[in-house]
Amino acid sequence: MSTTDSTAGAAQAPTAARASRETVVTVTGEVPANSLGAVLSHEHLLSDFAMPGDTPESWAAVGRTRPATASRQWLYRAPLTMELLGEIAMGSPNRDDWLLGDEQLAVNEAAAFAAAGGSTLVDVTTVGLGRDPAGLRRISEATGLTVVMGAGWYHPAWVGGLAGRDVGSLTDEIVRDLTDGVDGVRAGIIGELAALDPDEPAERAVLVAAARASAATGAAISLARSGDPAAQQRVLDLLAEEGADLARVAVGHCDALSPHPDELEPLLRRGVFVQFDQLGRLPSVLSVSDDQDVAAAVIELARRGHAGRILLSQDVSAKSRLLAYGGGGYGFLLQQFVPYLRMLGADDALIEAVTVRNPQRLLGVPTTKADS
C-alpha cells in the first residue's frame, strides 16, 4: 500500500516544473534547483558550539549549565576520546566534542554521504559558530558535493556586540552574505537560528532581520523548534508580519514530537516544513525519541497528506556524531534510515519527496529574484 496520498502525488509535477526555473546559491556558485539530488537539509561540516566567554551567564543564556565541579571541568576540557563517549551520551559537555575544525576530517566524513548517493549538504553554521566560507568551498571542491552555507546568527549569546546593533544593520549584513558573499562565497539559506524568544529584544532583532532579509532575497529560513508551542506560534507570527513566506521556513528539531504526530499539526497548519534532523544519534537513557519514532511519524504524516512538508537530516554538530568517533556520520540517512522507511512501506514517491523534492522547494529561489 502506498504511503503517499493524492495530495502528495499531485504536488510532484508542479514541484519539478518549478524547480527547473529556480536556482540555489551554493558555496561554488548558483546551480539549478533540480540538480541538487539527495539533500541533507541541516548539517555542520565546520563549526564551534562552545560558549564564547565561558561564563555562567553565557551558558545560562542558551539553557546550558557550566561545569562546576573539578571532575566536570576536567571532562569539559579533556580531548575527546572513545573512553569519554559514555559520559558525552549522558549529556556531559566536552569542549573538544563541540569543535569541528579539521577540514580533512570533514572531507573524509562527508565522503560517506556521497558514497551513499548523496549530492547536497546544507551547512547551517552561522556567524559566531565558527562559520568558515572558504573552508566550505574547499570541502565542496574536494568531495564533489554541493554545499549550501548559512547566514545570520544562531543566538545573540554567541556574538559579542550584537545586542547593540539595530535591525537595519543586521538585515543588511544577512542580505550582503546572500547576495555578495564573504570573500566571494555566498550564503544560500538564513540560519540555523536557535529557538529564540520574540519577547527578548536582542533575540527579536535577529528574528526580524532574518524575516526581512528573506523577504528581500527569497532565501529560506531554518530555525530550531521552541519547546513552548505558544512561543513557537509567536515566532512564526513575527516572521510572517515582517514579510517572510512561511512556506520557505524549516522548523527543525522536531524529532522529540515524533511519538506524538498530532503535536506537529499546529506547525503544519502554518505551512512550514517540519524537519526531523537528529537522525543517527546513539540512543541513551536521556533520549525522548529514537529514529524508529521518527520513521513512524514520517509514514503517518504522509498518510495524513503532509508528505510535501517533511525534511530529514542528522545535525552532525559534534565529533561524537562522526564515523571516526563511533557516530552515525553524514551517511546515516541514506544508508540506514531510508531503507528502514522502505521496510515500513514507504514508496518511491515518498522517499523522493523527503530527500529530494522538499529540499528543492525549500532552497530554490526564482531566477529573476536571485538575479535582482
Side-chain angles (χ1 to χ4, degrees):
M1 177 178 177
S2 173
T3 56
T4 54
D5 64 6
S6 58
T7 303
Q12 297 299 317
T15 296
R18 194 186 81 172
S20 69
R21 301 190 300 270
E22 294 182 336
T23 59
V24 173
V25 176
T26 81
V27 296
T28 56
E30 293 185 15
V31 301
N34 61 2
S35 71
L36 296 182
V39 179
L40 296 177
S41 56
H42 186 111
E43 301 295 337
H44 303 273
L45 288 165
L46 299 172
S47 61
D48 186 355
F49 275 87
M51 291 305 308
D54 196 20
T55 65
E57 293 75 18
S58 64
W59 283 66
V62 293
R64 291 177 173 177
T65 301
R66 186 174 182 265
T69 66
S71 61
R72 289 298 177 186
Q73 289 177 0
W74 175 87
L75 179 60
Y76 176 64
R77 303 190 185 286
L80 182 65
T81 61
M82 300 294 279
E83 290 76 16
L84 298 182
L85 292 181
E87 294 275 7
I88 301 303
M90 290 295 293
S92 296
N94 176 267
R95 175 69 182 86
D96 189 36
D97 187 38
W98 288 341
L99 176 61
L100 296 178
D102 185 331
E103 281 187 34
Q104 188 56 55
L105 179 59
V107 168
N108 296 343
E109 293 281 335
F113 174 56
S119 298
T120 299
L121 187 150
V122 182
D123 185 305
V124 289
T125 307
T126 49
V127 178
L129 291 179
R131 187 183 70 168
D132 185 347
L136 292 180
R137 180 163 56 188
R138 288 190 293 268
I139 292 170
S140 175
E141 292 169 345
T143 60
L145 290 170
T146 298
V147 175
V148 177
M149 182 177 77
W153 302 272
Y154 179 69
H155 191 286
W158 262 278
V159 187
L162 190 63
R165 295 177 55 183
D166 63 87
V167 170
S169 71
L170 297 177
T171 303
D172 291 344
E173 182 172 338
I174 297 174
V175 171
R176 283 197 301 272
D177 279 7
L178 293 163
T179 56
D180 299 332
V182 182
D183 296 328
V185 180
R186 293 169 59 194
I189 191 170
I190 301 168
E192 169 192 12
L193 311 181
L196 300 173
D197 181 356
D199 297 325
E200 198 285 322
E203 296 179 35
R204 182 183 182 88
V206 170
L207 288 167
V208 172
R212 293 180 181 177
S214 178
T217 64
I221 299 173
S222 178
L223 54 88
R225 180 185 61 85
S226 172
D228 178 355
Q232 183 67 74
Q233 292 299 323
R234 293 201 303 275
V235 167
L236 297 180
D237 289 342
L238 178 61
L239 294 178
E241 289 166 5
E242 295 294 336
D245 178 1
L246 295 187
R248 308 294 312 289
V249 172
V251 178
H253 305 346
C254 288
D255 307 62
L257 298 184
S258 60
H260 311 286
D262 288 348
E263 297 183 23
L264 291 165
E265 291 288 352
L267 287 174
L268 290 162
R269 284 196 290 271
R270 300 301 301 270
V272 302
F273 288 94
V274 297
Q275 184 168 260
F276 301 109
D277 51 29
Q278 307 291 296
L279 298 173
R281 290 177 184 261
L282 295 177
S284 77
V285 296
L286 299 178
S287 301
V288 295
S289 65
D290 60 28
D291 295 337
Q292 292 179 341
D293 293 323
V294 174
V298 170
I299 298 296
E300 173 60 18
L301 293 177
R303 186 192 65 80
R304 298 183 185 188
H306 300 309
R309 309 307 301 177
I310 301 169
L311 297 169
L312 301 175
S313 207
Q314 300 140 153
D315 192 16
V316 175
S317 55
K319 286 186 175 74
S320 56
R321 302 293 309 280
L322 300 174
L323 290 173
Y325 290 85
Y330 299 103
F332 177 87
L333 174 66
L334 296 182
Q335 292 168 338
Q336 296 190 47
F337 190 76
V338 166
Y340 183 67
L341 279 179
R342 292 191 185 279
M343 288 174 58
L344 296 185
D347 60 15
D348 290 344
L350 177 56
I351 299 300
E352 185 173 12
V354 298
T355 62
V356 178
R357 299 298 184 187
N358 295 348
Q360 284 180 1
R361 290 170 41 231
L362 174 73
L363 298 168
V365 178
T367 302
T368 53
K369 186 112 185 179
D371 293 340
S372 63

